[in-house]
Amino acid sequence: MASIGTLRQLQILLALREHGSVTAASEALFLTQPTVSMQLKNLADKIGMPLYQQQGKKLQFTDAGLEVLKTAKDVVDCFDQLEMRLSALKGLEAGKLRIAVVSTAKYFIPHLLGEFCKLYPNVEVNFSVGNRQQIIDRMKDNLDDFYVFTYPPKEIKLVTTKFLDNPLVAIAHDQHPLTQKKRISLQQFFKLPFLLREQGSGTRYAIERFLEEKSLQLNTRMIIESNEAIRHSVMSDLGVSILSAYTLVYGEDAGLSVLPVTGLPIRSQWYLGYLENKQLSPIAQRFFDWVTTEGYKQLEKQSQKVLKHSR
């Protein structure tokens, strides 16, 4: 190990890959930026080749860097597994749990994690949020134990389980003229100025699939990169949109109305998944077993309020 770098240097390299910059990696590790830069330089010097290069604002890892990253992930995972096995021998329910979720899932997954952490207070949770494409990128790099999304990528082999409905509903400003209608056609709705999530979003993916099936087109007014920004834009009467009902229940939904559009909501499912070749740690296995039994039942109770928005 000494000839190619220390464990800490490998951890720093992994943080650089995950967070995308020296500044972000240093903040995540609670280290100063000069310390992180020096450790990365020392690691590259010991290996004898550059590990990454800066291209504009983006880091590009070299072939050597990618090889070191693969080994670094294996080494750090081995230490994490050892720590959890030793904790188990001591009778402690401890360890690290890494979960990455698409942005809409952030409205309810923390409630699930909160209940689990009450049962296992010694668990350290790493909780990451991104759009669908960002979560797929994390899968490819094997950065997490579990992923939560609505449309599993076909190109990655995953073990998945359905655990919750995810209705996507039509929303408008609560003073919009169509809120007085008892029924609105799809054609009428999609002619309105529409606020659409960014490319790579799971919600956008679902909407585009739905439009293709129905041979409809959007009247897109704005592309917006978050559910919160879309909600506030709809409240400001900039247009209509389609979002998960969860964004209305767990967000501040005053000023919004769900429109009675024929053929909506778009029905989808929440999935909990992990890589097919992933060896789950003891605490990760415990989390999966809990989510698919007790945790699932708790979410089902909470989801009743959500489903009212989709009727």
Side-chain angles (χ1 to χ4, degrees):
M1 174 68 70
S3 63
I4 63 170
T6 66
L7 176 61
R8 190 54 167 162
Q9 287 170 345
L10 296 180
Q11 290 173 325
I12 289 172
L13 187 67
L14 286 170
L16 180 67
R17 171 64 182 86
E18 180 174 358
H19 298 284
S21 72
V22 171
T23 300
S26 62
E27 291 174 354
L29 295 171
F30 301 101
L31 297 172
T32 65
Q33 187 171 333
T35 297
V36 169
S37 296
M38 181 58 69
Q39 290 293 331
L40 290 170
K41 182 180 183 303
N42 291 342
L43 178 60
D45 289 344
K46 288 180 180 180
I47 292 172
M49 290 181 283
L51 302 178
Y52 62 91
Q53 55 190 5
Q54 193 80 33
Q55 293 187 344
K57 294 184 179 180
K58 190 174 182 181
L59 285 177
Q60 184 71 40
F61 283 88
T62 63
D63 290 342
L66 292 174
E67 288 299 324
V68 176
L69 280 168
K70 290 178 184 177
T71 299
K73 184 71 169 61
D74 291 340
V75 169
V76 171
D77 282 349
C78 283
F79 273 88
D80 287 345
Q81 292 277 349
L82 174 60
E83 181 182 356
M84 284 182 270
R85 289 197 296 270
L86 292 176
S87 294
L89 289 174
K90 295 176 183 177
L92 302 175
E93 296 289 353
K96 295 179 181 177
L97 185 64
R98 298 180 178 88
I99 301 177
V101 307
V102 295
S103 54
T104 303
K106 71 182 180 183
Y107 295 102
F108 63 89
I109 289 297
H111 298 273
L112 195 67
L113 290 173
E115 293 301 316
F116 184 74
C117 289
K118 287 178 185 177
L119 297 173
Y120 304 101
N122 295 318
V123 172
E124 177 186 336
V125 179
N126 187 334
F127 183 58
S128 300
V129 180
N131 66 29
R132 181 175 182 269
Q133 186 56 54
Q134 289 168 333
I135 299 305
I136 290 174
D137 291 341
R138 293 185 67 89
M139 288 181 196
K140 292 177 180 178
D141 291 329
N142 190 20
L143 294 178
D144 309 281
D145 297 312
F146 297 106
Y147 305 92
V148 177
F149 41 75
T150 51
Y151 292 95
K154 297 179 181 179
E155 68 273 20
I156 300 176
K157 293 183 178 180
L158 296 166
V159 177
T160 61
T161 182
K162 296 179 182 180
F163 70 99
L164 202 61
D165 290 333
N166 180 36
L168 304 181
V169 298
I171 59 172
H173 184 269
D174 61 4
Q175 299 300 314
H176 194 285
L178 288 184
T179 59
Q180 305 303 314
K181 300 283 186 179
K182 292 184 178 180
R183 190 59 54 190
I184 304 161
S185 70
L186 286 171
Q187 290 79 6
Q188 185 179 11
F189 175 72
F190 283 116
K191 286 180 181 178
L192 299 172
F194 196 89
L195 311 180
L196 184 64
R197 281 291 304 272
E198 78 285 0
Q199 192 70 42
S201 157
T203 300
R204 175 167 175 163
Y205 180 80
I207 292 171
E208 289 178 340
R209 284 184 55 180
F210 181 81
L211 291 169
E212 185 177 354
E213 291 173 1
K214 303 295 184 181
S215 299
L216 295 169
Q217 290 186 337
L218 280 181
N219 176 20
T220 304
R221 168 173 279 179
M222 296 172 64
I223 307 292
I224 302 178
E225 293 190 358
S226 76
N227 292 324
E228 288 82 1
I230 284 184
R231 284 176 40 248
H232 285 286
S233 296
V234 173
M235 289 179 200
S236 299
D237 206 17
L238 288 172
V240 299
S241 191
I242 292 176
L243 290 179
S244 167
Y246 284 94
T247 67
L248 310 182
V249 173
Y250 293 108
E252 185 62 45
D253 58 357
L256 294 176
S257 290
V258 176
L259 297 177
V261 178
T262 302
L264 294 181
I266 300 173
R267 297 291 180 182
S268 60
Q269 290 279 329
W270 287 112
Y271 290 84
L272 177 70
Y274 61 91
L275 295 174
E276 189 176 72
N277 59 355
K278 182 82 171 182
Q279 182 179 357
L280 295 180
S281 68
I283 200 64
Q285 185 64 58
R286 187 65 57 87
F287 177 76
F288 183 81
D289 294 341
W290 180 80
V291 167
T292 53
T293 54
E294 293 304 312
Y296 168 77
K297 292 177 183 177
Q298 292 183 27
L299 275 182
E300 272 197 322
K301 291 179 181 178
Q302 293 180 11
S303 71
Q304 295 308 308
K305 185 178 179 182
V306 175
L307 295 178
K308 290 180 182 178
H309 283 267
S310 67
R311 291 171 183 164

